[in-house]
Amino acid sequence: MTPKRILLVEDEESIRNTLRYNLAKEGFAVSEARTGTQALSEARRVRPDLVVLDLMLPELSGLEVCRILRQETSVPILILTAKDSEVDKVVGLQIGADDYVTKPFSLREILARITALLRRVELSTGSNNHPPPSDEVEVLGDFRLDRAARTVHVGDHELHLAPKEFDLLSFLLANAGRVQPRENIIQRVWGSNFFGERKTVDVHVRWLREKFEQFERMPFRITTVFGVGYRLDRLDHAVEARRQGAG
Ligand code: CA
């Protein structure tokens, strides 16, 4: 297996050296950059699997680097911040970072974040091979979701869903039986530039569950996969999902 390549962007030599040493020890191929402009050129050259990005950099700030990278690639970006006020910036400006750690951090913590981010990407790449079909109808027993009309029926009853509830349900249905990490759901339902709270997904799943509660026999349920995300499970295996073209 080719080692995962990490681009390490940090101007403080001691931190950079420690991280480089330990990441290499963990089996990663490490590239380095000391300034914002170097970071961009290295990212374009080596096409890393993940970027560890310090915020306070010479020439071009980490925020700028993150914003530009986000326009060019979906590479996961782990931000290093020196203080809590910077965390607010990362979150508030919606710059598209995937996660952050606050200095001082332990090696164990940053390695855990890196591993988690890379794992999420692997999981979501798997699902990218199955893009959600569009313009079609999902029928499961009494349940019917029409993507073209954006309607949901259970029997004769039309269920009114908010736009994101509909998109979320449609996405989970298209990927039934496959775990969807929260990050992947956010990217696919809310868009890649959405750096919202992961809780957003939880809240929408809760709303969906509440709306389905009134029906005694739903042909599926949304299962929480602890520490990862959600999976839509079909409950009646005798009922086969029939997919029909809507046009
Ligand atoms: Ca710095």
Side-chain angles (χ1 to χ4, degrees), residues 169 172-173 176-178 220-223 230-234:
L169 181 60
L172 289 174
L173 273 167
R178 288 193 289 267
F220 59 81
R221 76 164 159 244
I222 301 173
T223 307
Y230 294 97
R231 185 183 63 227
L232 186 140
D233 290 319
R234 291 173 186 161

Side-chain angles (χ1 to χ4, degrees), residues 9-12 15 54-58 103:
V9 187
E10 167 67 85
D11 59 324
E12 268 169 77
I15 297 181
D54 183 38
L55 276 193
M56 297 292 283
L57 293 169
K103 292 177 186 173

Side-chain angles (χ1 to χ4, degrees), residues 78 100-102 104-115:
L78 177 64
Y100 58 86
V101 284
T102 313
F105 48 82
S106 70
L107 274 171
R108 200 165 157 200
E109 181 184 9
I110 195 164
L111 284 172
R113 301 290 182 99
I114 287 173
T115 311

Side-chain angles (χ1 to χ4, degrees), residues 12 16 28-29 47 62 68 73 81-82 99 115 117 194 205 212 219 221:
E12 268 169 77
R16 201 175 64 242
F28 295 110
R47 299 178 173 277
I68 295 167
T73 156
T81 71
D99 206 349
T115 311
L117 273 180
F194 181 85
V205 166
F212 294 142
R221 76 164 159 244

Side-chain angles (χ1 to χ4, degrees), residues 45-215:
R45 195 176 67 81
V46 304
R47 299 178 173 277
D49 296 296
L50 184 139
V51 179
V52 175
L53 178 62
D54 183 38
L55 276 193
M56 297 292 283
L57 293 169
E59 293 173 19
L60 204 59
S61 80
L63 288 175
E64 281 307 309
V65 173
C66 186
R67 221 182 258 124
I68 295 167
L69 279 182
R70 213 13 107 238
Q71 284 163 12
E72 299 178 1
T73 156
S74 61
V75 64
I77 300 172
L78 177 64
I79 297 269
L80 304 180
T81 71
K83 44 186 190 286
D84 285 344
S85 59
E86 286 182 343
V87 173
D88 295 344
K89 260 192 232 164
V90 175
V91 177
L93 293 177
Q94 306 196 348
I95 56 170
D98 295 274
D99 206 349
Y100 58 86
V101 284
T102 313
K103 292 177 186 173
F105 48 82
S106 70
L107 274 171
R108 200 165 157 200
E109 181 184 9
I110 195 164
L111 284 172
R113 301 290 182 99
I114 287 173
T115 311
L117 273 180
L118 287 171
R119 214 180 109 67
R120 277 175 215 147
V121 172
E122 251 162 43
L123 284 170
S124 64
T125 316
S127 70
N128 282 345
N129 298 331
H130 309 275
S134 56
D135 287 348
E136 69 173 45
V137 182
E138 298 262 4
V139 180
L140 284 149
D142 274 356
F143 173 89
R144 182 186 166 90
L145 178 142
D146 187 328
R147 290 197 174 86
R150 291 184 69 85
T151 54
V152 174
H153 285 85
V154 181
D156 293 334
H157 186 96
E158 183 174 355
L159 206 56
H160 296 283
L161 300 183
K164 287 301 171 199
E165 290 173 352
F166 181 92
D167 294 340
L168 173 61
L169 181 60
S170 167
F171 175 69
L172 289 174
L173 273 167
N175 293 281
R178 288 193 289 267
V179 182
Q180 296 301 320
R182 283 182 181 79
E183 288 68 22
N184 193 38
I185 295 174
I186 285 178
Q187 196 164 60
R188 301 297 289 272
V189 175
W190 276 267
S192 57
N193 291 323
F194 181 85
F195 184 75
E197 294 199 24
R198 288 162 204 173
K199 286 256 179 276
T200 306
V201 179
D202 302 343
V203 170
H204 280 76
V205 166
R206 197 178 74 227
W207 287 339
L208 280 178
R209 283 173 176 157
E210 282 169 6
K211 287 188 175 174
F212 294 142
E213 247 168 30
Q214 54 178 309
F215 304 105

